[in-house]
Every structure is written in structure tokens, then in C-alpha cells.
Amino acid sequence: MLFLYNFIVLFTSQLLKLTAIFSLKMKLFIDGRKSVFQNLTDKIKTLDNTIWFHAASLGEYEQGLPVIEAVKKQFPNHKIVVTFFSPSGYEVRKNNTVADVTVYLPLDTISNAKRFIELVHPEMVFFIKYEYWPNYLNELKKQQIKTYLISGILRENQAFFKWYGGFYRNALKTFDYFFVQNESSKTLLQSIGFNNVKVSGDTRFDRVVSILERDNSLDFIEQFKDNKTTIVIGSSWPKDESLLVNYINQSSDNVKFIIAPHNIKSEQIQELKNSISKKTILFSDVETRLNASLQENNVFIIDTIGILTKIYSYADIAYVGGGFGNPGVHNILEPATFGVPVVIGPNYSHFAEAKALVNMEGCISIQNQSQLNETFDLLLHNEDERLEKGHICSTFVQMNKGVTQTIMNHILN
């Protein structure tokens, strides 16, 4: 099985090089890995103490950040190495300040795994949520390097739990401990003989709670809001926007809308702006000082990245996009931590926090235009309802914090 796996990895690596000719994302994926070993050689010396964190993409990095920060504080003389598999994570966070070294993870070949671990020589390794690379895990096991899974999620349909999954189950033996998000993940691991597991919860709760401790003020958002009720639309996709624009165009001028689309390509931003009949301004217009009268606008389109979380602090109502596509809704915890009621589309079944908040009625799932209209009208015109749902959201986040400390207590003991 290992031979077949390695053949598939090598074949895929060649295929990706061809794909890179036609895809910018794949080009970043391939080109970004060319200098990894040289970067490691330049930045990590033989006598350095290191700790390695691996995140598949941006979401997993943000999820693991509370633990990365806690480990960095506890081990100030160690170098922190962060790896990404996906360009959508690496390209956004390659200049982060928490890690000493941030690189792509080379493809999971035997030679790459040996060389990478030789250069990094970590004392501890943390895989965030998922991604199980057999050659890396086998090499970590051979060298008896402590390895942990944090905020893990396991599902019955994964290969580990199938009759043919012995090869993958064997890779799990590398982990010294599994910190998982829920009981079902613990039960699944125990069903295949792993008892070194604790239900610690999701570190994203610690991440969003920490947001409240920083300065979230944005002068230009405050100026635009102008003390009016504001709906913040985060990480929206065209399927979300087709419903939202219909509502925006018939809404009262006393309501403000801030839209931060998932995709900020200029042609899609312009198409979105052209579909809105209300007075609309782009963030890039403000940045270039083409329009200084922010408060005169009804809609503010944020055609940049990195400020959505702060913008949620100004929301009276939040709509989080992605719920009309696959795999589903984006991060609802960021607006929830500010005590903001959240509206989402119908596809949220893979996200435990969304399922919980919908059941608690702090979050409302809509399936069509009429339901969106009714929900927004209810929340806009009934302040008590809006405040109650917001309180449910903030309380839910506060009740689930403390995951990072649970993980650190185990590691230090």
C-alpha cells in the first residue's frame, strides 16, 4: 500500500506541474515549494530548538493560532516553524509575526519528509484539525518526535474507519495525543484502538474571544455607519449576493450595508457594485481618496482583505456567506463573539458551531429570498429580538473558550 501511495504522490506532482501552466493557484503551489529547503537551511541552524505547526490552509492556521501563540510564550527560546499546504493559506499569512519560519510543506514523498524533518529537527509537532501525511508521520514516528493533533475532527466516512484503511490507521500511531472537537471524533478513534484522546473542543473559540481584547476601531467604518443600523455581509459569494442585492435595493435609506465579498477580483467587485441601485462606495475608492463623504453612501464594498473581523464589531446584524455552496458557510464565530445575531444560508451541516447556534436560535438559516427578507425585517424592526439573539451568540462563544489551556496543561505535564 505504501508503494502505491508513493507512486500516486509522484504521479500527482508531475501532473500539478502541467496544471500550473494554466492555473495561477497551481503555479503558486509549485513555485512556492522550490525554495523551501533553502529557506530552512538559511533560517534554522543545527543547534536551534524548534517546534513545528502544520496547517492545511488559512482557516486551520487561524484555528491553531491561539496554541501557536501560547507555545511561543511558553517556549520563548524555540523557533516556531509554520507550514501550509495550500496557497490560499500561505500567500495570505506568509508574513505573519508569530512564526520564525513560514514555508509551504513539500509534497509527501519519503525523501521530502526525511530532508524536511532533518532540517527542522522539531522537538514537538502539531497538526491542526486534519491532514495526515503518511511519509511525514512515519518519519516523525521513527525519530520519536512528540506529535499532536489539535482541534481534530474525524468522520465515519474517512479511510481510517474502513476495512481497507489499515495503511492510514497505522499512520495515526504517530500521534502521542489527539485533542478533538467532539465526542463523535473520540468515539471513532476509540473504535479503532486509540484511547490517547481528549475532547478539548475547538481552539477557534479562544481565537475569537481574544479578538475582544484588541483595538477593533476603524475610523472610516465609523464614519460610514453614521450611527445608523448596519448589516455586515462577510465572505459572500454570488449566490448569496443575488439575494442580498435584491433586499438592499428595496431597503430603507436608514439602513447601512457593508459587503466584504469572498472574491475581490476587480471585475466581480465592479459587477456587484453595478447591480446595486443604492449609493455605493468601494474601499479602494476611499483608499485613493476619490470620495471622502463616506456617510452619504448606503453601501460600502470592502474590496480588500484582512479587516473583516474588525468590521464585524460595527455590525448590528451579520450575514455570513458560503451557505449556498459547498462545503458551506464561512466563519460565524467572528461576528458571534461581538454579540451580533447571524444569518446564514442552508448549507451548514458540516460545521458544529453553526448547527449549535441555529439550534439555540442565535443564528438563523435562510433558504430563499422571502426568508431572507423576513429575517432581516424582523431583526431590523424588533430590537429586543435582535439583542436577544446577539446575546445568545456571545454567551455561546464565552461558554466554549479555554481549549488552548487544556492543550497546554497536557503538554506541560
Side-chain angles (χ1 to χ4, degrees):
M1 186 66 179
L2 182 60
F3 173 81
L4 178 60
Y5 172 81
N6 286 326
F7 174 79
I8 292 171
V9 172
L10 289 170
F11 176 78
T12 302
S13 68
Q14 298 305 311
L15 187 63
L16 289 172
K17 290 178 183 178
L18 292 174
T19 309
I21 299 172
F22 309 100
S23 167
L24 175 60
K25 185 174 182 179
M26 283 301 104
K27 181 173 172 55
L28 291 170
F29 184 95
I30 296 297
D31 291 349
R33 285 170 163 78
K34 291 178 179 178
S35 59
V36 168
F37 292 123
Q38 186 60 54
N39 283 339
L40 294 176
T41 301
D42 293 342
K43 295 178 180 178
I44 300 175
K45 305 308 175 187
T46 306
L47 296 180
D48 286 339
N49 297 313
T50 66
I51 299 172
W52 170 29
F53 289 84
H54 175 66
S57 193
L58 181 60
E60 290 72 38
Y61 169 81
E62 297 292 347
Q63 191 163 31
L65 192 55
V67 180
I68 302 174
E69 291 172 337
V71 166
K72 186 179 179 73
K73 184 177 181 180
Q74 186 66 41
F75 300 94
N77 297 321
H78 286 60
K79 286 188 174 179
I80 303 297
V81 179
V82 170
T83 57
F84 287 96
F85 183 77
S86 166
S88 57
Y90 176 79
E91 295 301 327
V92 175
R93 289 291 180 262
K94 60 186 176 183
N95 296 318
N96 71 81
T97 56
V98 71
D100 299 282
V101 185
T102 302
V103 293
Y104 279 102
L105 183 70
L107 290 179
D108 187 33
T109 66
I110 293 174
S111 60
N112 281 348
K114 285 183 176 179
R115 189 177 179 191
F116 180 90
I117 292 169
E118 180 183 358
L119 289 171
V120 176
H121 50 81
E123 287 185 22
M124 290 186 285
V125 179
F126 296 84
F127 282 70
I128 303 166
K129 191 176 181 180
Y130 52 57
E131 284 211 332
Y132 310 92
W133 299 112
N135 286 316
Y136 280 100
L137 292 174
N138 288 339
E139 190 62 28
L140 290 168
K141 185 180 178 183
K142 282 180 188 177
Q143 298 195 29
Q144 298 181 321
I145 297 170
K146 286 187 176 295
T147 305
Y148 303 95
L149 179 70
I150 58 175
S151 288
I153 285 280
L154 293 109
R155 297 189 174 91
E156 199 172 355
N157 61 356
Q158 289 175 301
F160 310 118
F161 312 108
K162 304 295 185 182
W163 63 268
Y164 54 81
F167 167 70
Y168 295 99
R169 285 194 292 274
N170 194 53
L172 293 181
K173 293 178 182 177
T174 303
F175 289 98
D176 289 79
Y177 216 81
F178 300 88
F179 296 97
V180 296
Q181 293 188 31
N182 52 40
E183 285 290 343
S184 62
S185 294
K186 179 180 178 180
T187 300
L188 283 168
L189 284 169
Q190 289 177 331
S191 74
I192 55 173
F194 292 96
N195 293 306
N196 52 334
V197 53
K198 178 189 286 289
V199 179
S200 56
D202 188 343
T203 48
R204 285 184 303 162
F205 287 98
D206 292 336
R207 172 64 177 148
V208 296
V209 167
S210 71
I211 290 169
L212 298 175
E213 299 170 1
R214 73 185 188 193
D215 180 8
N216 292 294
S217 60
L218 294 168
D219 291 343
F220 56 91
I221 295 295
E222 194 161 337
Q223 185 184 348
F224 167 79
K225 182 179 171 77
D226 196 28
N227 293 318
K228 292 183 178 177
T229 305
T230 301
I231 297 177
V232 174
I233 297 160
S235 305
S236 59
W237 290 76
K239 286 185 179 179
D240 302 296
E241 291 158 5
S242 63
L243 304 181
L244 292 160
V245 167
N246 288 336
Y247 186 85
I248 291 169
N249 286 341
Q250 56 84 42
S251 66
S252 165
D253 286 343
N254 290 322
V255 181
K256 296 289 187 96
F257 296 87
I258 302 173
I259 309 174
H262 179 77
N263 190 326
I264 58 170
K265 290 181 179 178
S266 57
E267 61 271 17
Q268 290 188 232
I269 292 293
Q270 198 58 50
E271 185 177 341
L272 174 61
K273 184 180 179 183
N274 292 342
S275 69
I276 298 171
S277 60
K278 297 284 185 179
K279 193 170 183 182
T280 302
I281 189 169
L282 305 181
F283 174 81
S284 55
D285 291 340
V286 177
E287 214 176 20
T288 54
R289 300 182 181 180
L290 295 179
N291 187 331
S293 304
L294 275 169
Q295 67 271 21
E296 296 176 4
N297 293 274
N298 303 103
V299 183
F300 196 172
I301 298 176
I302 309 299
D303 53 342
T304 189
I305 60 173
I307 59 173
L308 175 58
T309 304
K310 289 189 175 186
I311 291 173
Y312 278 134
S313 70
Y314 292 89
D316 296 288
I317 302 164
Y319 179 96
V320 178
F324 283 92
N326 289 309
V329 69
H330 289 280
N331 189 351
I332 69 168
L333 294 180
E334 289 184 349
T337 197
F338 291 110
V340 179
V342 181
V343 183
I344 59 175
N347 296 342
Y348 62 90
S349 60
H350 289 303
F351 303 91
E353 72 281 3
K355 289 167 65 177
L357 268 178
V358 168
N359 290 337
M360 295 169 70
E361 299 184 359
C363 177
I364 303 171
S365 172
I366 57 98
Q367 300 196 32
N368 51 46
Q369 185 74 62
S370 63
Q371 289 183 3
L372 181 141
N373 294 353
E374 290 170 10
T375 299
F376 277 173
D377 286 347
L378 170 68
L379 295 174
L380 285 170
H381 300 136
N382 189 328
E383 185 178 10
D384 289 342
E385 186 81 10
R386 188 169 73 237
L387 293 175
E388 175 61 22
K389 291 185 182 301
H391 178 69
I392 291 170
C393 287
S394 60
T395 301
F396 173 72
V397 172
Q398 290 293 326
M399 287 176 62
N400 285 280
K401 67 181 181 180
V403 181
T404 300
Q405 192 58 54
T406 298
I407 294 170
M408 293 302 295
N409 288 345
H410 180 92
I411 292 167
L412 296 174
N413 293 331

